[in-house]
Amino acid sequence: MTTPMTANGPKGDRDRRKDSIKVLLVDDEPPSRSLLKHLVETQRDVTVVAECGDGLAALQAIEECAPDIVMLDINMPRMNGLELLSQHPERMPYTIIVTAVREHALKAFDLEVTDYLLKPVSVSRLQRALGRARRAIERQRLSTLAETIISMTRPEAAEPEPLPQAPQPLLLRKGTEIKSIPLQQIVWLESANQYLKIHTVSDTFVQSGSLSAFARRLDRSKFVQISRSAIVNADYALAVRKGRNGVHILDLRDGKRLNVARSRAAEAVRIAELIGEKAP
């Protein structure tokens, strides 16, 4: 169940703090949620906008409230925290795990959570976790603002510059090495907080930067954005199908499966056409 902040309660605070960071609390134990809410709202520029008790309710709350941060328990009914992170990565804001168990930490960080807190949560540890998320959010906002300003200063009639016949390879760092990677060897790209993961046919590279900025270097006839956080090279698409929940799933030749955001269903149809399939 999702519990939005009411007009007679914290919503009044939210209206007075429109620029604050919005937090969604997800925990199936009301006492734990109540304590965490109290701790969160003692922090500067942070507002709890909704609470819910399982992963399915959290999905709805994310759509309705657009939180900046989700504070997420793991062991919950219907859909647990790790299932939510695994099945719906494109819909997840910055996520801080808050749990009583240690053993899921490696899996959680593999799913790119911002932090992992153990109950009972101390004020100092909560401050560090929120500070880390706040800095990532601010970097993302600044990057978006810079891209908007740049786009506004371009002449309206100007056409995008065509890619050269022989695109220059990327110079990407891997440990202490710098490797030259042709663009056609990129299989897919994903945004990971303030970083960008570039998956090639043989390796994965991590670099700072935004997905939208990097996308301008790609051939849009082949590279297709399937969610807010992922772009794929259609040359490496194997099949497009529909999952049980109606969301399109893209199978890549390397065995990777990616969800296509509902808002980008047309791109799933486009990829199916590029690989010679009938759209599902």
Side-chain angles (χ1 to χ4, degrees):
M1 181 178 69
T2 303
T3 305
M5 301 298 97
T6 64
N8 294 324
K11 186 176 183 296
D13 269 352
R14 186 181 65 184
D15 289 340
R16 290 190 297 270
R17 300 165 63 188
K18 291 182 179 179
D19 295 330
S20 66
I21 292 173
K22 298 183 293 183
V23 175
L24 167 65
L25 303 182
V26 188
D27 194 314
D28 64 323
E29 298 180 354
S32 294
R33 283 206 312 269
S34 179
L35 176 59
L36 186 58
K37 177 185 171 186
H38 170 74
L39 293 176
V40 168
E41 292 200 323
T42 63
Q43 308 304 305
R44 66 176 182 85
D45 300 331
V46 179
T47 302
V48 175
V49 293
E51 306 171 34
C52 37
D54 61 74
L56 288 178
L59 280 175
Q60 180 181 352
I62 290 170
E63 294 293 335
E64 294 175 352
C65 304
D68 301 299
I69 300 171
V70 174
M71 303 196 75
L72 180 66
D73 192 13
I74 290 181
N75 295 326
M76 297 182 294
R78 297 209 297 169
M79 178 185 286
N80 68 39
L82 293 181
E83 289 171 337
L84 174 60
L85 288 165
S86 300
Q87 295 179 26
H88 303 281
E90 79 283 354
R91 298 169 71 176
M92 293 302 296
Y94 293 98
T95 302
I96 298 173
I97 294 293
V98 184
T99 180
V101 293
R102 296 176 179 272
E103 58 262 30
H104 299 300
L106 288 178
K107 175 63 174 176
F109 280 112
D110 187 53
L111 293 170
E112 298 172 356
V113 300
T114 302
D115 213 331
Y116 192 99
L117 306 184
L118 288 173
K119 299 176 181 177
V121 179
S122 69
V123 173
S124 61
R125 187 67 183 86
L126 177 66
Q127 287 174 334
R128 291 202 301 274
L130 289 173
R132 178 178 296 176
R134 181 186 289 110
R135 289 190 293 273
I137 290 166
E138 289 173 351
R139 283 193 292 267
Q140 185 181 50
R141 288 175 177 174
L142 287 173
S143 176
T144 301
L145 177 61
E147 291 169 14
T148 301
I149 292 172
I150 291 171
S151 65
M152 291 174 63
T153 58
R154 292 195 184 113
E156 291 186 6
E159 293 292 330
E161 292 184 8
L163 286 173
Q165 293 300 313
Q168 294 297 312
L170 298 174
L171 296 178
L172 301 176
R173 183 180 296 277
K174 184 75 172 181
T176 58
E177 295 183 73
I178 295 179
K179 297 186 176 182
S180 176
I181 307 296
L183 290 178
Q184 60 267 29
Q185 289 189 14
I186 295 176
V187 179
W188 68 291
L189 308 95
E190 62 176 320
S191 175
N193 293 338
Q194 68 269 36
Y195 296 103
L196 185 65
K197 284 188 177 180
I198 303 169
H199 303 276
T200 71
V201 293
S202 59
D203 212 339
T204 296
F205 300 86
V206 180
Q207 69 173 38
S208 60
S210 69
L211 190 67
S212 57
F214 193 90
R216 290 194 289 269
R217 306 173 64 178
L218 303 174
D219 181 354
R220 284 176 289 179
S221 67
K222 290 186 177 182
F223 286 88
V224 182
Q225 186 154 0
I226 61 170
S227 70
R228 182 180 63 181
S229 59
I231 294 175
V232 298
N233 185 345
D235 285 346
Y236 293 94
L238 183 64
V240 181
R241 53 194 174 83
K242 271 192 177 180
R244 291 182 180 178
N245 58 0
V247 173
H248 287 88
I249 299 171
L250 177 62
D251 295 326
L252 300 182
R253 296 186 183 278
D254 62 1
K256 183 70 177 178
R257 292 179 176 176
L258 301 175
N259 288 340
V260 181
R262 291 182 187 274
S263 60
R264 294 184 179 271
E267 302 294 7
V269 174
R270 180 183 162 206
I271 292 174
E273 292 173 349
L274 287 172
I275 62 179
E277 276 194 349
K278 184 178 180 181

